[in-house]
Amino acid sequence: MAANDFEPIYLDYMATTPVDESVAEEMMRCLTIQGKFGNPSSATHLYGWRAQNTVKGARELFAASIGAMPREVIFTSGATEANNLAIQGAARFYAKKGRHLITTSIEHKAVLDVFHALEKEGFAITWVQPNSEGIISVDAIAAAITPQTTLVSTMWVNNEIGTIQPIADIAALTRQHGILLHVDAAQAMGKVAVDLSQLPVDLMSFSAHKVYGPKGSGALFVRDKPRARLIPLFWGGEQEQGLRAGTLATHQIVGIAAAFHRAKLHAEENLNHIRRLNAIFLPGLLALEGVTLNGSREQRVPHNINVCFQGLHAEALLMSLPQIAVSAGSACNSAQDEPSHVLKAIGLSDLQARASLRFSLGRYTTEADIKRALEAIQREVQRERDLAGK
Amino acid sequence: MYNKQVLTYLHQATVTSLWPEGTAGVFSAEVGLKESGTWIKLCVYIKDSTIHEVRYRVIGGGYLIATVEWVNEYLTGKSLSTAEVLNAKFIVEVLGLPPQRFYCAQMIVDAVRKIVRQTI
Ligand SMILES: Cc1ncc(COP(=O)(O)O)c(C=O)c1O
């Protein structure tokens, strides 16, 4: 959606989403003197009780939206913190059992860098490679398991190429081996069905701002039966069962709960909307000369369209298309020159990776946006091909 | 992420057909490798030691496209002796190129020098 004719068309929903207005309204009600501003841990007065009740309600709503129990939810400042808590917390807690951990080479930085840090501490890490479609196979993970392995961490929906990993199969495998499984589901909510009552995953990270909730709000699911044990990242209070010290951010918790509740409630219609747009946009792009899709065509969320413009530089294309807001690779990489580690992992050359752009569609994208974007891209791709000559 | 000058020249870059092979007064030079995704072909029409027109082909990122478009504008109407003293540091300064894009300016300078050398 373009807010007006001068604003670029936003096609970067996998970087972040705007906050849903009703979510923002609910958050507002937790902030001011007229609202539920109290400290949820103040047990001695009405202000505290109100805030406590609000958090309790939000926790129940959030838990229900992911098929978990309220006591399995630890609210955090985002998926980055949830990933850190899960991976560092579990690796350290179970270090006496073993010091081998498994993850994949296509994770978000918020997982990759945690493992890099643990590697420096002396943990052994196996980085499982995806196939050329961007899918991690269960067999590849099975092959990496040793008697020392305590944790497997894999993402659900890839943030760069939108591929969906076979989480149910991986979960069955780790269960069978008695190994903990952590899943970074930051991009999963609202895009695939999330139901932890059916999925034997031990730890799962969530982020609010990918589903029309606020930035700086996330959660870690920590399974109760069997209990996944963690060492907290920091100390300073008994909040969140001692796993996440610090005054509870009532408005942020209300925000993520409302956003997740709405995502689940409207899952079907939102997904249909995105599928409709994708059915126009993807063929439109692939019809251009030298344009190919990165990652699996089937096993991916329709929100993500990552394409390679063979022979061109995505960065030049990006800057020549001020009427469209997209990113080359993930937002966290877009300030750097390094070609995307995900695209390289699925077999693209440096040149092909540098020729790739990620478009991501969302709730406010319209058919008119898509058509306008396609026209502009078509024009610009042609201009740059002409500039390059034969 | 790009500054205003770079964006202006990037948007300004337009395609003109190159002169036919062997056109009198036209000198050209190529720098870089097409296969590596960074390549320019600079062609200039020179008469009476003055550069009357510049045309080019470019494969590269936005910075390279902007730089070659800038040199098109800068050299048009200039004398060969002005072209001769063009240096990368100057280009980096006028366009505000980030340090890691110094090579864009250097490629242009290399092309211009190759051309100047052909004229003497
Ligand atoms: C797969 C994935 N993991 C983690 C994150 C980080 O989430 P947050 O911004 O909530 O810390 C993101 C988003 O940037 C992501 O796409």
Side-chain angles (χ1 to χ4, degrees):
Chain A
M1 177 210 58
N4 59 53
D5 283 350
F6 308 106
E7 297 263 303
I9 301 165
Y10 189 72
L11 295 177
D12 207 7
Y13 281 86
M14 286 186 102
T16 195
T17 60
V19 177
D20 180 286
E21 308 219 331
S22 69
V23 171
E25 270 169 37
E26 283 197 47
M27 291 176 68
M28 275 295 290
R29 285 198 278 272
C30 306
L31 292 166
T32 60
I33 184 77
Q34 281 91 22
K36 295 166 276 192
F37 73 90
N39 187 329
S41 305
S42 300
T44 53
H45 50 68
L46 186 64
Y47 299 99
W49 299 332
R50 275 188 190 141
Q52 192 175 39
N53 261 330
T54 305
V55 169
K56 185 166 173 281
R59 193 184 301 280
E60 287 165 1
L61 195 65
F62 179 85
S65 72
I66 57 168
M69 287 180 295
R71 66 170 173 280
E72 294 177 313
V73 175
I74 307 296
F75 288 114
T76 67
S77 65
T80 302
E81 185 190 332
N83 287 340
N84 272 275
L85 176 57
I87 298 164
Q88 293 193 47
R92 299 221 169 90
F93 189 92
Y94 296 99
K96 289 163 286 242
K97 255 180 82 183
R99 296 175 70 85
H100 177 244
L101 316 165
I102 298 171
T103 189
T104 84
S105 60
I106 56 169
E107 298 300 311
H108 188 272
K109 263 192 178 306
V111 168
L112 283 184
D113 287 356
V114 184
F115 279 103
H116 282 137
L118 289 170
E119 198 166 32
K120 286 206 186 94
E121 271 179 38
F123 285 89
I125 320 288
T126 300
W127 308 87
V128 175
Q129 297 293 328
N131 64 15
S132 62
E133 299 258 279
I135 309 292
I136 301 292
S137 85
V138 182
D139 293 344
I141 292 181
I145 293 175
T146 74
Q148 305 303 316
T149 311
T150 56
L151 173 75
V152 172
S153 176
T154 175
M155 66 196 337
W156 196 335
V157 174
N158 185 276
N159 53 301
E160 288 193 38
I161 53 176
T163 49
I164 304 168
Q165 305 307 334
I167 295 304
D169 297 344
I170 296 172
L173 172 81
T174 50
R175 248 314 133 79
Q176 184 199 331
H177 282 82
I179 297 168
L180 281 188
L181 175 63
H182 164 251
V183 173
D184 177 358
Q187 297 283 1
M189 192 62 189
K191 301 190 182 91
V192 295
V194 178
D195 184 359
L196 284 157
S197 69
Q198 300 299 316
L199 205 58
V201 172
D202 303 285
L203 300 156
M204 194 176 277
S205 306
F206 296 99
S207 179
H209 73 98
K210 311 286 186 187
V211 251
Y212 311 94
K215 293 164 190 58
S217 178
L220 179 65
F221 162 84
V222 183
R223 187 169 296 283
D224 201 40
K225 283 192 181 94
R227 183 69 175 173
R229 307 292 303 274
L230 303 171
I231 292 180
L233 292 173
F234 45 80
W235 283 262
E238 285 307 306
Q239 292 92 347
E240 301 299 82
Q241 305 163 52
L243 283 175
R244 210 283 182 169
T247 302
L248 292 173
T250 316
H251 62 296
Q252 296 290 67
I253 292 170
V254 163
I256 192 173
F260 271 55
H261 175 65
R262 287 187 60 93
K264 174 144 172 130
L265 207 59
H266 302 290
E268 196 60 31
E269 74 183 77
N270 286 340
L271 207 56
N272 284 336
H273 172 63
I274 304 294
R275 282 202 191 105
R276 250 193 323 273
L277 298 173
N278 180 295
I280 304 170
F281 199 36
L282 181 58
L285 286 174
L286 295 181
L288 302 177
E289 186 199 328
V291 177
T292 49
L293 184 68
N294 293 323
S296 167
R297 177 133 192 194
E298 287 79 34
Q299 227 170 310
R300 83 191 288 142
V301 295
H303 307 65
N304 175 293
I305 295 172
N306 191 313
V307 284
C308 175
F309 297 88
Q310 303 281 352
L312 298 183
H313 282 227
E315 165 223 84
L317 206 54
L318 205 74
M319 290 299 137
S320 308
L321 287 166
Q323 59 276 66
I324 307 175
V326 293
S327 66
S330 72
C332 313
N333 296 331
S334 59
Q336 298 168 5
D337 252 7
E338 279 291 294
S340 143
H341 68 280
V342 175
L343 296 180
K344 298 210 55 192
I346 62 169
L348 269 67
S349 67
D350 275 11
L351 225 54
Q352 289 170 319
R354 259 195 273 131
S356 297
L357 282 181
R358 176 188 74 178
F359 300 90
S360 45
L361 313 174
R363 191 196 291 172
Y364 304 102
T365 315
T366 66
E367 229 177 273
D369 289 342
I370 292 297
K371 288 183 176 152
R372 261 180 58 210
L374 266 177
E375 274 170 27
I377 295 163
Q378 213 159 0
R379 204 170 337 112
E380 202 43 49
V381 166
Q382 194 53 51
R383 182 179 81 112
E384 268 163 50
R385 290 217 187 283
D386 290 345
L387 280 172
K390 292 272 146 37
Chain B
M1 110 194 179
Y2 285 21
N3 68 36
K4 231 172 118 191
Q5 292 97 289
V6 170
L7 276 180
T8 305
Y9 286 107
L10 172 60
H11 296 158
Q12 188 176 302
T14 41
V15 190
T16 42
S17 57
L18 299 185
W19 290 282
E21 211 49 55
T23 306
V26 171
F27 297 84
S28 58
E30 290 185 42
V31 177
L33 270 178
K34 279 188 176 179
E35 304 76 60
S36 70
T38 355
W39 168 85
I40 51 170
K41 177 173 184 172
L42 197 66
C43 307
V44 298
Y45 173 64
I46 300 172
K47 206 179 154 202
D48 303 329
S49 296
T50 301
I51 296 170
H52 287 275
E53 198 178 341
V54 180
R55 297 181 185 183
Y56 60 83
R57 286 287 178 271
V58 55
I59 298 176
Y63 285 103
L64 189 64
I65 297 176
T67 311
V68 71
E69 173 61 23
W70 173 84
V71 92
N72 169 19
E73 186 180 283
Y74 177 78
L75 285 184
T76 304
K78 295 268 188 336
S79 68
L80 271 178
S81 43
T82 307
E84 204 173 356
V85 295
L86 182 66
N87 64 72
K89 202 163 155 271
F90 175 69
I91 300 178
V92 165
E93 272 166 25
V94 253
L95 281 177
L97 298 183
Q100 69 269 32
R101 302 306 174 137
F102 184 86
Y103 75 88
C104 297
Q106 193 58 55
M107 281 176 72
I108 305 293
V109 169
D110 289 349
V112 172
R113 295 214 174 132
K114 275 189 183 181
I115 287 172
V116 171
R117 234 178 287 136
Q118 291 168 40
T119 64
I120 44 179

